[in-house]
Amino acid sequence: MVTTQQSNIFQMYHGGKRWSRIPSEIIGSAQGRYEGGPGIYFTNSYETARQYAKGSRVVHLIDIDRNFKDISDISVPLENVIEFVKNCGGMPRKNTIIEALKNNALRMKQNVIGLDILNNLVVNYESGAGKVGIRVANYFVENGGDASVYNKSGDESWLIVFNPSIIKKISVVNPSKINSDFQFMLPKI
């Protein structure tokens, strides 16, 4: 495991189907299965990843590029975001999201919207399932966003990845190698 501060890599867990290679794209999520946004979910908690790996699934240990761009650090002109939402085929509650975007810009006295605001609206209005979620994630990537940090309770954090190119290495955690020295909780992002 990489632990030096100078390293450009940090590690997280992912529980799910066994990967034979690093994914090149995200897949759409089912309705209600994207509480932090549409993307690939990673956690610093082995136990959480193990819950997602029930049955014939596995826990992966993932190396991720530390230099990823968080969508909370990226703002896009309001009119561009509204145009995207208007043209996002199949997106439910478009008009409600557009009104919320306009209200946010007015309240903040800015003509830009943080990509994290769009993500929150997509999640809160349950508008990011399936192909729509893929379109939203691709929009984040097109505007420079790679991922989003989602802080859970306690020491757990999730990383929702929209741009799989920040995933540098995958390996399967062998359950027979887990002992009292195993790092069940990786450092929080």
Side-chain angles (χ1 to χ4, degrees):
M1 176 163 66
V2 177
T3 57
T4 63
Q5 287 290 32
Q6 297 90 353
S7 173
N8 288 331
I9 300 295
F10 67 99
Q11 293 184 313
M12 296 198 82
Y13 296 112
H14 173 80
K17 293 179 182 175
R18 182 185 208 105
W19 291 348
S20 58
R21 60 181 171 74
I22 295 172
S24 58
E25 57 190 30
I26 68 163
I27 59 171
S29 299
Q31 191 67 27
R33 301 281 300 174
Y34 52 92
E35 73 178 271
I40 305 170
Y41 282 65
F42 301 97
T43 177
N44 63 330
S45 167
Y46 173 78
E47 291 302 325
T48 298
R50 195 171 67 122
Q51 290 172 1
Y52 285 94
K54 286 183 180 178
S56 62
R57 297 171 178 220
V58 298
V59 173
H60 294 93
L61 183 62
I62 310 293
D63 287 5
I64 299 171
D65 186 342
R66 184 176 301 283
N67 298 312
F68 73 90
K69 286 289 197 179
D70 193 306
I71 61 170
S72 66
D73 296 329
I74 299 172
S75 294
V76 177
L78 174 63
E79 60 272 8
N80 293 8
V81 179
I82 289 173
E83 191 67 24
F84 165 73
V85 172
K86 280 183 183 175
N87 294 317
C88 188
M91 178 183 276
R93 295 170 274 295
K94 284 183 187 187
N95 292 336
T96 304
I97 291 172
I98 289 170
E99 280 307 307
L101 290 166
K102 289 177 182 177
N103 289 338
N104 181 275
L106 187 62
R107 187 173 54 254
M108 301 303 289
K109 297 179 179 156
Q110 295 182 346
N111 231 4
V112 295
I113 292 291
L115 290 179
D116 58 327
I117 301 299
L118 176 59
N119 190 49
N120 289 342
L121 292 169
V122 166
V123 169
N124 291 339
Y125 290 113
E126 298 181 3
S127 299
K131 290 180 181 178
V132 172
I134 295 169
R135 288 183 195 109
V136 170
N138 288 339
Y139 182 74
F140 295 156
V141 174
E142 289 164 11
N143 284 281
D146 296 314
S148 176
V149 176
Y150 184 75
N151 288 310
K152 298 291 282 180
S153 61
D155 290 332
E156 185 174 3
S157 60
W158 288 0
L159 183 71
I160 298 93
V161 171
F162 311 114
N163 182 2
S165 71
I166 68 170
I167 302 168
K168 298 304 177 189
K169 181 180 171 191
I170 59 173
S171 57
V172 174
V173 176
N174 183 344
S176 68
K177 303 283 186 197
I178 295 174
N179 58 35
S180 61
D181 295 329
F182 184 78
Q183 195 165 4
F184 288 92
M185 188 65 80
L186 296 171
K188 195 170 183 174
I189 304 172

